[in-house]
Amino acid sequence: MDLNMVDKSIAVLRETFSTGKTRSLAWRKTQLRALIKLVRDNEEEIFKALHQDLGKHPVEAYRDEVGVVLKSADYSLNRVQKWMAPRKGDIPLLFFPANGEVMPEPFGVVLIFVSWNFPISLALDPLIGAISAGNTVIVKPSEIAQNCSSFLANTIPKYLDTEAIKVIEGGVDVSEQLLQQKWDKIFFTGSQRVGRIVLTAAAKHLTPVTLELGGKCPAILDAKSISSDMKVVAKRIAGGKWGPCCGQACISIDYVLVEDNYSEYLIDSLRRIIRKFYGEKPEESISLSRIVNRNNFDRLSRLMSDPLVANSIVHGGSTNEEKLFIEPTLLLNPPLDSEIMTEEIFGPLLPIITLKNIQESIGFIKSRPKPLVIYAFTQNETFKKQILTETSSGGVVFNDTMIHFICDDLPFGGVGQSGLGRYHGKYSFETFSHEKAVLHRRFFPEIEPRNKLEPSF
C-alpha cells in the first residue's frame, strides 16, 4: 500500500469522526452486534486461518481467540451505555451552588497494531474497546500471520462501518508509513524492541500510547505449602507454558523457581503431564501449535545451542525444521547469564531454576525487569503478602496461570518494560477514551468585595 492510500484512509476516518456519528450509542451498539455476527458467521474460516498460520487446534483457537472476542463483545454491548454516561464529581463547598461531572469522550482516529501469536483476538478485542469508546479505527494485522491478516482485511469491511473502521495490510514498510502519521491514540501489542520504535514515533506528535509487551513471566513454586496438590500444580504449569500457542505468548510461563529438594519431583511430574497431554511423540500431536516461522524456529534453536544450556536439558530438546516443531523442553539450571535467561523465550522451552529457600524468589524477581505477570503456587498467606508488596508486575495470579486474561473486571497490562497502559472490559473503554472534566457554576449568589473605607450602614 502506498503512502497516498494511507493518507486517504486516515482522511476518511477523520471526516467520519468529525460528523459525530461514532459518538452515538446506536452506532456503537450496531458495530458491536456486527462484530459478534462476524465472528459467529465465520468461525470455521477463523479456525482454518489460525491452523494455517500457527497450527492451532480448533479447541485452542476457540478458547484463546473466538471465545475471547465473543465474551468481550457481549460484555461491552451490555454495558457501553453505562460507561458512556457522565459520572458525578464532587465539588468543594466553596463553589456552592455548583456541580461537576467527568464525561468520557473518544480520542478520535486510533491505530491498532496486532501481534501474530493471537492474530484474531488481539485484533478484535482492542477494536471492541475502540468502538465502545466511539473512535474511528485502523487495524494493522501482523504480516507474519498472513492468512489471519487476509481474513481480517476481507471480512471486516463486509460487517463493520467501512467509513469508520479500516484494515491496512502490509509489512514493515507499511508499519513505518503508519507511524509517520498523526494519530489520536496508538494501541500496540508486540515485542519490547518494536514497542520502543512505536513509542518514539508517537512522541513526535505527543500521541498517547498503550503498549502490551511482555517479558519473562516467572512461576514461583512453594512446594512445601502445596505438596499434596503437586499433580494439579504440574497440570497448571504445563497448561500455562505449552497451552497458549506452544509458549509463544506474552503471558506464558517463562521460567519456574523452586527449592532444590523439590526440583526432581517437579521435573518428574511435568514429564508425566507432557506425555499425558501430548503423547509419547509430541511431534505427532495435534494439540501443540507449531513455531510461527523459520526465523523464530532458528532463534529458539540458537537458545538451546549454547553448550552449557544444552547440558541443562533434562527432557525434550528435539526439533524438526521442516515442520517448524520444537518439543516441550525442560531445562534445569541453565546459566543465569545465558540468553535463555536474559531474553523472553517465547517458545516451548521451560527453564527450572533452583533456590535454597523459596523466599529467595522475591530477590530473584526484583533483580530483573518487571514481568507482565507473576504466577505463584502457594498456600502460605504470609508469602502471598510478600509477593504482592515486595515485587512489581503487571499482575499476579495465585495457584493458576493465565486465567486473569479472560476476566473482564480485572485490568490487563504491564508495568515498566512489560508494558504501558491496560485494557479488557471497562478498562478497554477507558483506554480509548479521554475523561473530560466539566464544572457547571451559577451566577447567584455572587459575593461582592467590600471597600473598607465605605461605611458599614
Side-chain angles (χ1 to χ4, degrees):
M1 179 174 289
D2 60 32
L3 185 58
N4 289 335
M5 186 62 70
V6 171
D7 288 340
K8 184 178 178 181
S9 296
I10 296 172
V12 170
L13 298 187
R14 289 211 179 277
E15 176 60 28
T16 300
F17 184 74
S18 70
T19 67
K21 78 170 183 177
T22 64
R23 292 174 178 263
S24 72
L25 175 63
W27 183 88
R28 302 183 201 201
K29 284 196 167 186
T30 298
Q31 299 309 303
L32 291 173
R33 290 191 187 100
L35 195 150
I36 292 171
K37 182 172 172 54
L38 181 159
V39 175
R40 287 178 173 162
D41 287 353
N42 297 279
E43 192 171 293
E44 291 302 322
E45 286 298 312
I46 293 172
F47 290 164
K48 180 181 177 181
L50 287 167
H51 188 267
Q52 290 172 330
D53 287 335
L54 294 156
K56 290 191 178 185
H57 187 278
V59 172
E60 179 183 350
Y62 189 88
R63 181 195 67 195
D64 295 344
E65 309 262 10
V66 171
V68 167
V69 173
L70 291 175
K71 172 191 63 64
S72 180
D74 187 66
Y75 185 91
S76 297
L77 181 61
N78 292 327
R79 293 164 176 80
V80 64
Q81 184 173 4
K82 181 180 178 181
W83 296 342
M84 289 172 60
R87 68 177 188 272
K88 182 180 178 181
D90 292 331
I91 303 301
L93 187 60
L94 173 65
F95 302 117
F96 178 84
N99 62 285
E101 61 184 10
V102 179
M103 181 179 8
E105 64 177 15
F107 278 115
V109 182
V110 304
L111 172 63
I112 297 174
F113 280 112
V114 185
S115 181
W116 55 260
N117 52 343
F118 298 94
I120 300 298
S121 60
L122 293 184
L124 300 184
D125 201 2
L127 179 59
I128 289 166
I131 290 170
S132 299
N135 298 278
T136 58
V137 190
I138 282 182
V139 176
K140 168 58 179 71
S142 171
E143 70 280 6
I144 295 175
Q146 295 178 359
N147 292 284
C148 289
S149 178
S150 295
F151 169 81
L152 292 169
N154 294 329
T155 309
I156 283 180
K158 297 176 182 178
Y159 288 83
L160 302 183
D161 185 345
T162 57
E163 294 181 344
I165 300 161
K166 295 183 178 293
V167 179
I168 292 183
E169 291 189 280
V172 174
D173 57 331
V174 172
S175 296
E176 290 175 347
Q177 289 178 16
L178 290 170
L179 284 175
Q180 292 172 12
Q181 311 303 309
K182 184 181 185 303
W183 303 92
D184 298 304
K185 172 79 180 189
I186 298 176
F187 187 102
F188 170 83
T189 304
S191 69
Q192 295 176 1
R193 179 185 65 82
V194 181
R196 292 186 180 94
I197 295 172
V198 172
L199 193 59
T200 300
K204 295 176 183 177
H205 301 289
L206 297 180
T207 300
V209 175
T210 295
L211 301 176
E212 296 296 337
L213 305 177
K216 297 183 74 63
C217 300
I220 302 170
L221 180 54
D222 178 19
K224 288 179 183 177
S225 71
I226 47 90
S227 57
S228 61
D229 297 306
M230 274 298 292
K231 289 183 179 179
V232 175
V233 171
K235 286 181 182 178
R236 293 181 179 179
I237 289 176
K241 179 59 182 181
W242 299 289
C245 202
C246 199
Q248 299 170 106
C250 60
I251 57 171
S252 70
I253 297 173
D254 195 273
Y255 62 92
V256 179
L257 298 171
V258 65
E259 290 182 352
D260 290 321
N261 50 338
Y262 289 98
S263 61
E264 286 303 319
Y265 184 31
L266 172 62
I267 291 167
D268 288 343
S269 298
L270 288 173
R271 283 172 177 156
R272 287 194 296 271
I273 294 300
I274 291 170
R275 285 193 290 267
K276 183 176 181 179
F277 282 5
Y278 308 115
E280 294 294 336
K281 297 180 179 180
E283 186 176 337
E284 299 175 1
S285 173
I286 61 172
S287 300
L288 270 174
S289 300
R290 64 169 172 79
I291 306 306
V292 65
N293 58 21
R294 177 64 185 272
N295 285 341
N296 281 276
F297 177 89
D298 291 343
R299 178 185 61 81
L300 290 164
S301 299
R302 188 180 69 251
L303 292 181
M304 292 191 291
S305 66
D306 181 328
L308 293 177
V309 172
N311 289 339
S312 72
I313 294 175
V314 292
H315 178 84
S318 67
T319 64
N320 185 319
E321 182 177 339
E322 183 180 348
K323 294 183 178 180
L324 295 178
F325 169 82
I326 296 179
E327 184 180 6
T329 300
L330 303 176
L331 306 97
L332 181 62
N333 288 322
L336 296 182
D337 60 353
S338 61
E339 191 176 351
I340 201 170
M341 285 306 299
T342 57
E343 300 294 329
E344 184 177 9
I345 294 172
F346 227 69
L349 316 178
L350 182 61
I352 296 170
I353 306 300
T354 61
L355 308 169
K356 290 182 180 180
N357 190 304
I358 199 61
Q359 302 291 329
E360 297 173 13
S361 62
I362 301 287
F364 190 97
I365 292 170
K366 288 172 67 176
S367 68
R368 286 157 174 76
K370 298 175 181 180
L372 179 59
V373 58
I374 296 172
Y375 301 112
F377 295 89
T378 180
Q379 298 286 21
N380 186 324
E381 295 301 321
T382 300
F383 189 39
K384 285 183 180 181
K385 289 179 181 178
Q386 262 190 288
I387 293 169
L388 291 175
T389 58
E390 297 182 26
T391 67
S392 179
S393 59
V396 178
V397 177
F398 290 110
N399 300 322
D400 208 337
T401 60
M402 303 185 301
I403 57 174
H404 66 304
F405 184 82
I406 60 173
C407 297
D408 290 304
D409 286 330
L410 294 177
F412 180 83
V415 60
Q417 291 188 28
S418 61
L420 174 66
R422 58 188 186 172
Y423 74 121
H424 287 180
K426 188 181 180 183
Y427 301 101
S428 290
F429 175 86
E430 292 174 346
T431 286
F432 289 100
S433 299
H434 165 64
E435 293 189 327
K436 181 161 61 179
V438 180
L439 192 147
H440 301 272
R441 190 95 191 272
R442 294 171 176 80
F443 292 111
F444 181 83
E446 179 70 5
I447 301 174
E448 295 288 349
R450 193 183 73 179
N451 190 328
K452 291 184 178 180
L453 298 178
E454 293 180 355
S456 58
F457 55 88

